[in-house]
Amino acid sequence: FFHCRQEEAAACMYATRERLLAVGVTAAMVGALLSRRRVAQGLLALSRLASSAAASPTAPLSGCLYRYKHPSWPAPLQAFESPAAHAHRKYCVYIGGLTDGLLACSYVEALGAALDERGWSLVQPVLSSSYAGFGCSSLQRDADELAQLLRHIADREEGDAEFALVGHSTGCQDAVTLLRTAPPELRCRVRAAVLQAPVSDRESQTVEQDSDGSRGRLLAEAEAKLAAGEGEALLSQKYYGFVPISASRFASLVGRDGPDDLFSSDFTDERLAAKLGHMGLAGQRATAPSHPGLRTLFCFSGGDEYVPPSVDVPLLARRFVAAAGGAENGASALILAGASHNLAKPPRAAGEFVAAVCRTLDEI
C-alpha cells in the first residue's frame, strides 16, 4: 500500500539534493584551495574519501542495468543487478511496495553489500506497477513479470541459477502471488522468501479517518464498475490524490478478500492457510514435488505506522507461520521492536533486518 507521504518524498528529494550540492561544493573547494604542489596529495585524499564512502551503508550501488521481455509484451522492462561484475549464480530479487522503484528502502545498499559477501547478487526489477503504475496493474501482472525476470536470468546462466525473494510492503504480496502462480520449474529455483512488513492494505485504511466518507464512496463506485464488467475503468478520484486507479485495483486493495488482501488479521486460520499455505515446503511440494526446499521469513515492524493498534502483531506472526506449515516446513517470523514500516527508524532496524536476511539465506 501507499507508504510514502508527499512530504516524506519531498524531504527525501531535498536531502538527496543537499548531498549532491555538498559533493559539488567540496570538489570546487578542493580545486580552488589546492596548489599545484599539493594536487597529488589532494587527489590521494579524495581517493581515500571515495573509498570510505564506498564502504558506508549508504554508498551508491554499482550494477548492470538491462532489459528483459516476454515475446508477447509490447516493450521490455528493466532490472538493475548488483554488483556490476560478479561470478555469482544466486540471485536475490528485491521487490518494493506501492510507489516504489529502485532503492525502495534505505537499507537496500547495505543489503546488496551483505549479499555480495555471501555470493548472492541483488536484482531490483522495474515493473509496470513501479512508482505510480500500480493503480492500473495487479498482483498477478507483477507475478508474471517477475517470473519472466527469473526465466531471463536462468536462461542467461544456462539453467544454473537459484533465487531468493525479498519483498517490502506490497512486494510481500507479489512474492506470495509469484510462489503460488509461477510454473513449478521456476518455483523450484526459489529457495527463500523474506517478507518485510507484510501488512494488510485493507486494515491499513482504518489507521486514517475517513471523515468525509470518500473511501466508502470510492469502494462502492469500484464495486459497481466491477459488477458492470468495467473493472479496468478508472475511478473518478485518484488514489491518495495523485495515482490514477482502476476499479479492480481499488477493490483489491480496499475491499475484503480480494487478490491484495493476503495479510488481514480478521481472517480465520483456515482462510490464512488457504492464502499462505504454499509459503512452506509442504505447500510447494503439493504442486512442485521436486522442490529442494523453501525457507520463508515473515518480518514484522513492531512500530509499523500502517498497522492498526487493535492488531496483535505477535499473535499474527505466529498465525502466519502456522498458516505456512510451521517451522518444520521452513517458516519463521521476526518482529523488529519499535521499527517503522520501511525500517527508516530506529537506526538499528535496518541492520537487524539485513542480518536476518543473511541468516535465512545461510540456512539454505
Side-chain angles (χ1 to χ4, degrees):
F1 55 86
F2 179 78
H3 68 266
C4 183
R5 299 280 187 261
Q6 287 176 304
E7 57 267 26
E8 292 174 340
C12 179
M13 293 173 64
Y14 177 79
T16 301
R17 174 178 173 274
E18 290 299 298
R19 292 191 188 100
L20 291 173
L21 286 173
V23 170
V25 169
T26 300
M29 290 176 62
V30 169
L33 295 177
L34 289 179
S35 66
R36 291 182 179 179
R37 291 179 300 170
R38 298 182 60 192
V39 166
Q41 293 92 329
L43 290 174
L44 178 60
L46 287 175
S47 176
R48 288 172 178 169
L49 284 172
S51 298
S52 176
S56 72
T58 56
L61 278 176
S62 67
C64 177
L65 180 66
Y66 55 84
R67 302 177 182 90
Y68 66 100
K69 184 181 182 299
H70 189 275
S72 65
W73 296 353
L77 294 172
Q78 302 81 36
F80 188 75
E81 184 175 310
S82 302
H86 64 83
H88 307 328
R89 294 294 182 269
K90 296 183 288 187
Y91 298 85
C92 179
V93 180
Y94 183 82
I95 315 161
L98 302 188
T99 75
D100 285 335
L102 300 176
L103 301 177
C105 292
S106 60
Y107 57 76
V108 171
E109 294 93 332
L111 177 63
L115 291 172
D116 184 32
E117 291 177 355
R118 286 165 170 76
W120 288 79
S121 175
L122 176 68
V123 181
Q124 300 177 73
V126 178
L127 305 175
S128 58
S129 65
S130 295
Y131 304 109
F134 70 88
C136 296
S137 192
S138 66
L139 290 184
Q140 189 56 62
R141 184 174 181 179
D142 288 352
D144 292 342
E145 292 174 357
L146 289 166
Q148 184 59 31
L149 174 62
L150 301 192
R151 288 191 197 94
H152 176 88
I153 296 173
D155 290 347
R156 186 187 71 195
E157 300 297 340
E158 299 180 345
D160 184 19
E162 287 187 342
F163 299 97
L165 307 174
V166 175
H168 162 68
S169 196
T170 297
C172 299
Q173 282 97 322
D174 282 338
V176 171
T177 304
L178 174 67
L179 285 168
R180 186 182 70 249
T181 64
E185 64 271 17
L186 281 180
R187 287 186 281 120
C188 285
R189 295 184 180 277
V190 179
R191 302 301 309 281
V194 179
L195 309 183
Q196 189 263 307
V199 175
S200 164
D201 294 276
R202 172 167 60 86
E203 290 183 336
S204 75
Q205 301 292 319
T206 67
V207 173
E208 296 182 354
Q209 295 294 323
D210 185 26
S211 56
D212 61 356
S214 60
R215 187 165 60 237
R217 287 194 298 272
L218 276 177
L219 181 57
E221 179 186 345
E223 290 173 341
K225 289 184 181 298
L226 284 171
E230 302 174 351
E232 298 310 305
L234 295 179
L235 297 184
S236 58
Q237 183 176 328
K238 293 181 179 179
Y239 198 50
Y240 285 96
F242 71 96
V243 177
I245 190 164
S246 68
S248 59
R249 191 63 195 268
F250 188 86
S252 181
L253 288 168
V254 179
R256 182 180 177 85
D257 212 16
D260 280 271
D261 196 9
L262 298 178
F263 303 129
S264 293
S265 64
D266 58 1
F267 287 134
T268 64
D269 290 344
E270 291 75 18
R271 192 66 186 133
L272 280 179
K275 293 175 178 289
L276 301 176
H278 64 284
M279 296 303 292
L281 179 56
Q284 281 298 308
R285 285 183 174 169
T287 54
S290 61
H291 201 296
L294 175 68
R295 302 197 67 83
T296 297
L297 174 64
F298 298 96
C299 187
F300 296 83
S301 293
D304 198 314
E305 60 271 32
Y306 300 105
V307 175
S310 59
V311 174
D312 186 334
V313 174
L315 174 61
L316 189 61
R318 293 194 295 271
R319 294 182 66 209
F320 281 10
V321 170
E328 61 271 27
N329 280 292
S332 61
L334 172 68
I335 301 175
L336 298 175
S340 62
H341 183 68
N342 63 3
L343 308 186
K345 56 183 181 182
R348 57 172 171 74
E352 290 178 358
F353 174 68
V354 170
V357 173
C358 292
R359 287 195 301 272
T360 301
L361 299 187
D362 289 346
E363 292 170 355
I364 294 175

